[in-house]
Amino acid sequence: QGRLVESGGGSVQAGGSLRLSCAASGDSPNYWPGWFRQPRVWLGWFRQAPGKEREGVARIDIGSSTTYYADSVKGRFTISQDTAEKFYLEMNNLNPGDTAVYHCATDASLTPWIHSAATARYWGQGTQVTVSS
């Protein structure tokens, strides 16, 4: 059984930066290394603000290192992979519109970027990001 755990959220003023982490852990030490070696696996970041629908923020396709970003975060957010089981979302020039609970998720089927949230198999519990003006 695998789990994703996000961290790094917090409260910042507009214009500030945060780095979110997504760590994969599980009962078996070989579970996640095997998962992320699959040819069609991806990891993404999603966010949901109160009263709003969940939004895809960024995604990285592990095999090709292809990245995708929501238009609202292009040029400000960067998704990256550190180790086989740890990923980051670097967020710069934050604004109040970025306030939300941020989740990381992963799946082993290369669905179109727009459909990522609907197909993700594993989700983390989320970390709160609050940006004040």
Side-chain angles (χ1 to χ4, degrees):
Q1 186 70 19
R3 296 178 298 277
L4 298 176
V5 180
E6 303 93 339
S7 61
S11 297
V12 297
Q13 290 189 327
S17 299
L18 285 172
R19 187 176 74 165
L20 305 184
S21 298
C22 176
S25 64
D27 298 329
S28 168
N30 297 318
Y31 184 86
W32 283 115
W35 173 267
F36 287 116
R37 279 198 294 268
Q38 296 181 83
R40 299 167 66 82
V41 72
W42 57 263
L43 184 129
W45 287 93
F46 303 83
R47 66 187 182 186
Q48 188 163 21
K52 293 187 177 181
E53 293 188 356
R54 183 173 52 196
E55 174 189 21
V57 175
R59 184 180 111 176
I60 181 169
D61 296 344
I62 307 301
S64 65
S65 297
T66 302
T67 56
Y68 306 85
Y69 294 94
D71 288 342
S72 60
V73 308
K74 281 181 181 176
R76 301 188 297 121
F77 290 14
T78 303
I79 187 171
S80 63
Q81 181 179 13
D82 180 17
T83 67
E85 299 155 43
K86 194 159 190 179
F87 298 80
Y88 297 110
L89 182 68
E90 187 78 35
M91 306 187 297
N92 297 312
N93 194 21
L94 287 160
N95 61 64
D98 296 316
T99 295
V101 176
Y102 284 71
H103 301 265
C104 60
T106 183
D107 196 74
S109 176
L110 275 182
T111 53
W113 156 231
I114 193 172
H115 299 308
S116 300
T119 61
R121 177 175 178 180
Y122 292 104
W123 288 84
Q125 83 290 347
T127 185
Q128 176 70 46
V129 172
T130 302
V131 185
S132 58
S133 57

